Amino acid sequence: MTTTHFIQDRPGWLLTCAQLLKEGAYWHDGLLHASVLCLDTEALLRHGKRLRGADAPDAE
């Protein structure tokens, strides 16, 4: 199974990952810590949490 196929079947995963990606915690010296980002995304979804709208980190 390719990454594209995996993501295509999980739009919630992609949306949550994109929201988390906005946080500076996943970047260090201009490099992305993709494994940490993926683990955090999966953990949020497994616990039934999604970052959207008012729940998004940048929302007021």
Side-chain angles (χ1 to χ4, degrees):
M1 178 181 291
T2 66
T3 302
T4 304
H5 180 76
F6 180 73
I7 290 173
Q8 182 180 12
D9 292 339
R10 301 202 49 203
W13 191 95
L14 184 59
L15 292 172
T16 302
C17 185
Q19 286 293 327
L20 287 175
L21 190 57
K22 294 178 184 178
E23 298 179 11
Y26 299 100
W27 296 90
H28 182 69
D29 292 333
L31 298 174
L32 175 64
H33 289 269
S35 60
V36 177
L37 177 62
C38 290
L39 286 171
D40 286 355
T41 300
E42 191 65 31
L44 282 171
L45 291 176
R46 285 179 187 254
H47 292 289
K49 298 177 185 175
R50 291 206 178 152
L51 302 173
R52 284 193 191 150
D55 295 332
D58 296 330
E60 295 180 2

